Amino acid sequence: MQRVTISQALTFACRDIGRVDACMLLQHVLDAAQAHLLTHPDQILSAQQLEAFQCLIKRRIDGVPVAYLTGERAFYDLTLIVNEAVLIPRPETELLVDLALQLIPLDRSFRVLDLGTGSGAIAITIAKHRPQSQVTAVDVSPAAMAVCRQNAQNLQIDNLSLVMGSWFDELSGERFDLIVSNPPYVAGNDPHLQQGDLRFEPQVALSAGDDGLFCINHIIHNAPDHLTENGWLLLEHGYDQASACRQLLQDRDFSNICSHPDLAGIMRVSGGQLKFVK
Ligand code: GLN
């Protein structure tokens, strides 16, 4: 039988998939922390572990994102389960959560709506950090809803309700103090959709119309019917969509319209406040 140590397995895998991915996959196979890999370089992998690791390396070489291979992704201060039914939570979306948390009081009830929740990353993080708030998470995909439900259960979130449906369709007559969304916003002909990890993610969660603004436009247009007086709308959008978003917000009479840069300095979230209920 082949005797392969942690250190040898990593050296071998690094050549094909790089050190970061190799470590994450081996941690997953061994169910161990990264520190374990560093402190036990001579530990021999069992035949089963070696086979599982080789299989994951092969799928990673084929392009499958690490998060789908390990079934989880860290977001904010949480670990969320993910699968092919949901977009993999991105670091830039933490900006949207930060901005939302700044608007939500800690000490009183506040109604929050997350549209197109996917894994529930945004809704669950907000619900956890603002336990007095009542968060509603909407998604059109039953498979995504199942992932979100599982995450909420794992993290013992009890101030979150899930609604299956398209955008506002199932929310007639309901109003919220804050609406957030990371909708699909990549332009339909963007070549990135056919490259790298994006190829494996649900296209319905990524791309929206020729210019990527179809869903953003729909949300901004309909949000005033679902916001309370002085309620806020915050949207994540593409690297070149900030001014188009601000214009759409202005067209719907939002005030305090503002865009915010992500850690890469790219305007990534825009929003505004609805001063008067329509
Ligand atoms: N930020 C993602 C990307 O460009 C897209 C996420 C989205 O469409 N909401 O990969």
Side-chain angles (χ1 to χ4, degrees):
M1 194 187 89
Q2 220 180 341
R3 286 171 66 83
V4 176
T5 64
I6 284 182
S7 142
Q8 288 167 332
L10 282 178
T11 306
F12 170 77
C14 281
R15 273 182 252 145
D16 290 321
I17 60 172
R19 188 156 190 94
V20 173
D21 289 2
C23 283
M24 284 204 278
L25 294 181
L26 191 53
Q27 277 173 246
H28 175 68
V29 167
L30 301 180
D31 192 19
Q34 191 173 9
H36 182 92
L37 305 187
L38 299 172
T39 51
H40 297 75
D42 298 328
Q43 180 184 321
I44 308 278
L45 271 60
S46 72
Q48 223 172 359
Q49 288 168 338
L50 185 59
E51 198 190 324
F53 187 47
Q54 283 169 334
C55 173
L56 290 176
I57 294 170
K58 189 181 165 309
R59 291 179 67 204
R60 182 65 192 128
I61 292 170
D62 289 343
V64 182
V66 172
Y68 289 155
L69 295 173
T70 61
E72 61 183 35
R73 173 53 43 105
F75 180 79
Y76 219 83
D77 56 348
L78 306 174
T79 299
L80 298 162
I81 61 156
V82 293
N83 64 26
E84 284 79 355
V86 299
L87 205 68
I88 299 165
R90 316 282 209 258
E92 55 266 32
T93 303
E94 294 180 352
L95 168 68
L96 178 59
V97 172
D98 273 332
L99 293 166
L101 292 178
Q102 283 170 29
L103 294 172
I104 308 173
L106 256 169
D107 57 348
R108 68 177 167 87
S109 158
F110 205 78
R111 292 199 67 192
V112 182
L113 171 65
D114 175 24
L115 292 169
T117 199
S119 65
I122 299 167
I124 289 172
T125 311
I126 290 175
K128 172 158 186 285
H129 285 264
R130 292 292 181 274
Q132 304 279 345
S133 66
Q134 287 304 320
V135 183
T136 300
V138 171
D139 206 288
V140 74
S141 152
M145 283 269 96
V147 175
C148 179
R149 188 172 295 111
Q150 187 65 54
N151 277 319
Q153 203 175 318
N154 292 350
L155 295 160
Q156 298 174 329
I157 305 292
D158 57 14
N159 53 335
L160 175 76
S161 32
L162 307 188
V163 174
M164 187 141 53
S166 174
W167 308 123
F168 297 102
D169 283 3
E170 306 304 317
L171 301 169
S172 111
E174 290 200 53
R175 288 189 183 267
F176 300 85
D177 302 304
L178 168 65
I179 299 174
V180 292
S181 183
N182 173 19
Y185 55 67
V186 180
N189 60 1
D190 189 319
H192 291 104
L193 291 169
Q194 315 308 330
Q195 296 165 14
D197 289 8
L198 258 55
R199 286 171 299 161
F200 294 84
E201 294 188 282
Q203 296 295 303
V204 66
L206 278 170
S207 121
D210 290 347
D211 57 2
L213 286 167
F214 185 81
C215 297
I216 286 178
N217 188 16
H218 181 83
I219 292 170
I220 294 177
H221 188 81
N222 290 288
D225 293 336
H226 296 278
L227 282 169
T228 54
E229 198 171 297
N230 294 319
W232 285 87
L233 171 63
L234 285 176
L235 292 172
E236 179 176 322
H237 52 67
Y239 70 98
D240 57 354
Q241 293 169 336
S243 69
C245 279
R246 290 198 303 268
Q247 184 61 52
L248 289 167
L249 288 162
Q250 211 169 324
D251 295 345
R252 290 298 278 156
D253 296 327
F254 277 85
S255 307
N256 295 325
I257 297 169
C258 200
S259 298
H260 305 264
D262 63 18
L263 287 174
I266 296 167
M267 287 301 172
R268 182 60 69 183
V269 174
S270 294
Q273 188 177 24
L274 193 75
K275 285 286 187 189
F276 303 102
V277 166
K278 302 214 164 199

